[in-house]
Amino acid sequence: MHINSFITAKPPNSLIGFRFQVTSTSMKIDLHCHSYFSDGKHSPDFLIKRAIANRVTHLAITDHDCITTLDNSISLEPGLCLISGVEISCDWQAREIHVVGLCIDPQHRELLELLERQRAARNARILQMDAKLKALGIDGLAEYCAALPCQSATRSHVADFLVVQGHCKNRQKAFKNFLTTRGRIYVQYDWCDMAAAIAVIHTAGGLAVLAHPGRYSLSKHRLENLVDDFAAAGGDGLEASYGNIDPVTKNKLCEMASSKHLYVSAGSDFHDSEAHWTDIGKFPALDQPANKNAIWEHPGWHSR
Ligand code: AMP
Ligand code: MN
Ligand code: MN
Ligand code: MN
């Protein structure tokens, strides 16, 4: 399906809009990034300005388990098309998997209800981590999280707290020593099932994309199982390129998408401009064959 003319209309400022008409010849996409609505460091406004500066034509802000809303003062320029997005944490065979929803109706009741349950599980998890930290003599996590501008509290925020309080040198060390499954205050997640995430994205008129499949530390065989289950549950696409992916993994994911008849998506997974290796719009380019089954060619990309 072809996308045919540049945007002229301004999307509503209160919500990230979707499906504005654009040309396919000059597309530069970024369909995965985070603002401070979840664990990104910056405002949606910052992301939009950065996308424009980096000549991105299609941007999806995909915060964890929440809908990112725009400030009314943000002026959207013609030439940047905003795709409404979300990244849902979910469970697949006792593993934590992320599914990106694109072109969703950001006001769909069932989607909002699922996201609310996810955030309730996040808040409960933070309280359990707070209790574990208190037992180690570290106070104040719950208060720190309550004062953040985010809607979705994540382990990244807990890592920041541990760094700010001087208990860890950096985020990586905080994850390694405290927050990964073998960490001192690890608390089991309580996310929806992967199939439920895919279903609710579809119910909200969107397309479901398996986020960063190469980051789950799965064997080749298990990754195939995951992708097969994702496809069987109606998933639409795989993220075949993202920040820091190596060329071998990228090519493997492009081939996998093609062999499983899935579309291909891509995005930076940008969180923070101080992490100099990431930027909006920055990830290894998809090659031409992958562009043929690009997610923006999916018939559902436009229609609701
Ligand atoms: P949560 O959804 O609360 O489990 O937090 C997951 C978020 O933490 C991810 O979206 C990443 O941004 C971040 N994260 C996960 N693992 C690591 C790690 N090892 N080092 C740094 N950040 C991480
Ligand atoms: Mn994150
Ligand atoms: Mn993710
Ligand atoms: Mn992400």
Side-chain angles (χ1 to χ4, degrees):
M1 176 167 205
H2 267 280
I3 305 174
N4 27 42
S5 62
F6 256 105
I7 37 167
T8 49
K10 266 178 120 179
N13 267 354
S14 58
L15 290 164
I16 286 186
F18 43 99
R19 282 182 283 280
F20 296 92
Q21 301 287 301
V22 286
T23 178
S24 61
T25 48
S26 54
M27 281 177 83
K28 182 177 175 187
I29 56 140
D30 189 337
L31 303 177
H32 187 158
C33 67
H34 297 274
S35 79
Y36 59 38
F37 275 65
S38 65
D39 61 350
K41 278 281 152 71
H42 309 285
S43 65
D45 187 15
F46 177 99
L47 300 181
I48 287 165
K49 287 190 177 130
R50 189 105 174 179
I52 292 166
N54 291 352
R55 301 185 184 283
V56 167
T57 60
H58 292 65
L59 178 72
I61 302 178
T62 53
D63 275 309
H64 298 286
D65 297 313
C66 67
I67 300 294
T68 316
T69 54
L70 299 185
D71 200 301
N72 275 329
S73 63
I74 294 177
S75 62
L76 290 167
E77 293 181 22
L80 178 66
C81 170
L82 287 176
I83 312 295
S84 60
V86 66
E87 183 175 15
I88 302 181
S89 292
C90 47
D91 177 80
W92 173 76
Q93 297 191 358
R95 276 184 175 274
E96 205 171 347
I97 298 298
H98 292 177
V99 175
V100 163
L102 298 173
C103 306
I104 44 160
D105 171 358
Q107 291 177 302
H108 196 281
R109 187 179 51 84
E110 279 177 54
L111 173 64
L112 295 183
E113 283 171 2
L114 179 131
L115 297 180
E116 216 168 293
R117 286 195 297 277
Q118 296 274 109
R119 292 196 300 275
R122 288 184 169 281
N123 290 339
R125 194 183 194 199
I126 293 287
L127 291 181
Q128 288 178 70
M129 287 183 186
D130 182 49
K132 289 193 172 201
L133 278 179
K134 281 198 167 81
L136 298 173
I138 302 173
D139 265 341
L141 174 67
E143 294 77 8
Y144 172 87
C145 289
L148 291 169
C150 72
Q151 298 214 340
S152 283
T154 71
R155 283 182 297 161
S156 302
H157 298 108
V158 183
D160 288 347
F161 169 78
L162 290 166
V163 173
V164 168
Q165 295 289 311
H167 300 291
C168 301
K169 233 169 134 180
N170 54 46
R171 254 193 193 189
Q172 289 306 322
K173 289 220 159 81
F175 266 91
K176 186 166 181 287
N177 297 332
F178 287 84
L179 299 168
T180 48
T181 41
R182 285 194 212 137
R184 300 177 76 189
I185 61 158
Y186 180 74
V187 174
Q188 175 63 33
Y189 61 84
D190 180 21
W191 312 141
C192 65
D193 193 64
M194 180 172 76
I198 295 167
V200 84
I201 288 166
H202 287 162
T203 303
L207 300 171
V209 170
L210 183 63
H212 42 64
R215 286 204 195 136
Y216 300 126
S217 307
L218 295 169
S219 67
K220 188 173 184 294
H221 180 67
R222 292 281 289 150
L223 181 59
E224 289 247 356
N225 289 163
L226 168 63
V227 173
D228 284 342
D229 282 1
F230 178 80
D236 302 288
L238 295 188
E239 245 177 32
S241 187
Y242 35 88
N244 273 1
I245 195 172
D246 64 89
V248 174
T249 306
K250 187 188 81 172
N251 291 338
K252 197 175 74 181
L253 292 173
C254 284
E255 278 166 26
M256 202 179 261
S258 164
S259 70
K260 310 281 183 193
H261 306 291
L262 291 165
Y263 287 82
V264 160
S265 185
S268 60
D269 203 5
F270 175 84
H271 285 72
D272 180 1
S273 63
E274 276 185 26
H276 294 295
W277 59 92
T278 83
D279 202 352
I280 292 284
K282 187 173 169 186
F283 52 86
L286 292 170
D287 53 15
Q288 284 307 312
N291 268 322
K292 287 212 175 95
N293 60 337
I295 193 79
W296 53 91
E297 302 289 351
H298 190 293
W301 182 256
H302 276 288
S303 59
R304 277 178 75 174

